[in-house]
Amino acid sequence: MTEQRNEEARAHALAEGSTFTWHELYVADGEAAVRFYAQVLDWESQHLEMEEGSYPMLVANGRPIAGVQATRDNPQMAGVPPHWAIYVAVDDVDARLARVMEHGGSIVVPAMDIPTVGRMALIADPQGAHLWLFTPSPGKCQQA
C-alpha cells in the first residue's frame, strides 16, 4: 500500500511539472534556525539519517516540508549566504540540464545522486535566479 502511494505521489508531482517538491534552508547555524521556525510557526523537527549524516527537517502537520543545511564549518558551503532554496520535480534532470544550457541558463551545481532520495542539480536562469531540479528515486514519495 505504501509503495503504491509513493508511486502515485511521484507520478503526480512529475505530471504537474511545476510542482515545488521540497524546500531547503541554508544558514550558518542550522539548530538555531530549527528553533526559530519551531517557535514562530509551531513547526516540529525530525532528523533523517543518511549516508552523509543526520539531515534536520522542519515538519508541519506531521509532514516533512523542508530541510535545513548548516553552512558553518562546511568548506563546500563557504560564502553561501543564508537563503531558502526550492526544488521542482522534473522527468529527467540530465535532459533538463541540456535544455537549460540551450536556452541561456547555466549549471551552478552539477547533477548528483543522493542515495535513496534522487538526482538533483542547481541551475541559474539567464537572469541569475537559482532553482534546484529534482528527480526522485523510484518508490520515493514527493515531499510536497
Side-chain angles (χ1 to χ4, degrees):
M1 182 71 163
T2 301
E3 180 79 19
Q4 180 181 357
R5 187 169 159 229
N6 287 350
E7 284 302 315
E8 288 171 4
R10 179 178 187 269
H12 174 73
L14 292 174
E16 288 296 311
S18 63
T19 300
F20 293 101
T21 62
W22 190 241
H23 307 278
E24 206 159 48
L25 175 60
Y26 289 79
V27 290
D29 186 341
E31 291 178 19
V34 168
R35 281 192 308 274
F36 174 82
Y37 287 102
Q39 293 168 344
V40 171
L41 300 173
D42 297 325
W43 289 345
E44 297 176 358
S45 67
Q46 68 184 43
H47 288 260
L48 175 64
E49 296 305 321
M50 301 176 65
E51 288 181 15
E52 301 82 19
S54 184
Y55 179 63
M57 296 183 295
L58 296 167
V59 177
N61 301 318
R63 184 171 168 226
I65 57 167
V68 179
Q69 290 282 343
T71 58
R72 183 186 307 138
D73 302 325
N74 184 338
Q76 293 179 324
M77 294 190 191
V80 172
H83 70 281
W84 280 93
I86 55 175
Y87 290 72
V88 66
V90 297
D91 52 352
D92 180 329
V93 168
D94 298 292
R96 296 297 172 170
L97 289 178
R99 293 183 71 181
V100 165
M101 300 302 293
E102 288 172 19
H103 295 281
S106 60
I107 299 169
V108 178
V109 175
M112 64 181 138
D113 293 311
I114 304 298
T116 73
V117 174
R119 187 162 178 79
M120 61 190 71
L122 180 62
I123 65 164
D125 68 22
Q127 296 185 65
H130 290 184
L131 176 71
W132 284 92
L133 303 181
F134 175 71
T135 302
S137 296
K140 290 294 163 193
C141 181
Q142 295 300 301
Q143 301 299 329

